[in-house]
Amino acid sequence: MKFKALVTETTAVLLTRGLEVEPVAVRDVVAHMVEVLAQRTGVDAEEAVHLVTSETVADAIVRASDQTHEGAEAVHAVRPVRVDTRTVSAAVRVLGRLVMAAAQAGKYASLNGDGRTAAQAMDLATELGAALAADRVGEETEVPVGLLDELARVVESVAGKIESEGWSICPCGEVHEQDEVDVEVVPVMRSDAALACQLHSRAGE
């Protein structure tokens, strides 16, 4: 019971820090910290779990997910909390373009070793696709403003990595004109990010 309560408490603490973490990931971190503490103190896990606090676990997850730290790109289960619960209506064809933008960002991230961004981008593409699939009219549909904000940040981030870190659609080391493709895709990605921001701004109208 204490273990389950610790997982729940840690999830709540993370939400106050602006992070939404998959429950299984929180459980894994709690289990690891309990195991390590048990080994260090020479007590069993049932006793050790009472020595671990939700704040300590949350601190560890926040540090591991800090994108300024090396290895943070491997932390897949962490997402920013969406505070804005408003929705905005957008044309299906426009949202289709944003689905492609998310998928393209995910592909670049995946091919260049950033599994965290790749997973986030593909989640966004899936969420947009679900909104489109739920639309029965086929002209306009409602999407969360927070989704658009998150998408704009992810796509802009990937465009920046292409420019500053040399991310490529084919980072194989062979020269076969992929550099030209990478250069051309940056303004397109920035245009898509701007489109998401434009839709976002309409929520206040």
Side-chain angles (χ1 to χ4, degrees), residues 53-133:
T53 68
S54 57
E55 292 285 346
T56 302
V57 181
D59 286 343
I61 292 174
V62 169
R63 284 195 301 273
S65 62
D66 185 341
Q67 292 186 320
T68 64
H69 293 169
E70 185 177 351
E73 66 277 359
V75 182
H76 299 178
V78 179
R79 295 279 297 277
V81 173
R82 289 182 188 165
V83 179
D84 196 333
T85 59
R86 295 174 299 166
T87 62
V88 64
S89 181
V92 167
R93 60 179 179 79
V94 173
L95 295 179
R97 175 177 166 181
L98 294 183
V99 170
M100 291 188 292
Q104 186 174 47
K107 184 174 183 179
Y108 264 93
S110 177
L111 289 171
N112 290 275
D114 189 340
R116 177 177 176 176
T117 299
Q120 185 178 4
M122 297 315 294
D123 283 348
L124 291 169
T126 301
E127 192 173 350
L128 279 169
L132 289 170

Side-chain angles (χ1 to χ4, degrees), residues 114-173:
D114 189 340
R116 177 177 176 176
T117 299
Q120 185 178 4
M122 297 315 294
D123 283 348
L124 291 169
T126 301
E127 192 173 350
L128 279 169
L132 289 170
D135 177 62
R136 297 181 180 180
V137 178
E139 295 179 0
E140 289 199 353
T141 191
E142 294 287 318
V143 291
V145 169
L147 186 159
L148 296 170
D149 180 54
E150 191 176 336
L151 176 65
R153 284 187 281 109
V154 168
V155 173
E156 177 61 38
S157 172
V158 170
K161 294 289 182 66
I162 295 171
E163 282 187 326
S164 65
E165 298 184 19
W167 275 16
S168 176
I169 195 64
C170 183
C172 66

Side-chain angles (χ1 to χ4, degrees), residues 19-65:
L19 293 179
E20 183 177 352
V21 184
E22 291 180 12
V24 66
V26 178
R27 285 197 300 270
D28 287 347
V29 175
V30 171
H32 175 70
M33 294 187 75
V34 169
E35 181 183 355
V36 169
L37 189 58
Q39 292 174 353
R40 288 179 179 175
T41 59
V43 300
D44 60 29
E46 290 184 5
E47 294 178 85
V49 72
H50 292 277
L51 304 176
V52 178
T53 68
S54 57
E55 292 285 346
T56 302
V57 181
D59 286 343
I61 292 174
V62 169
R63 284 195 301 273
S65 62

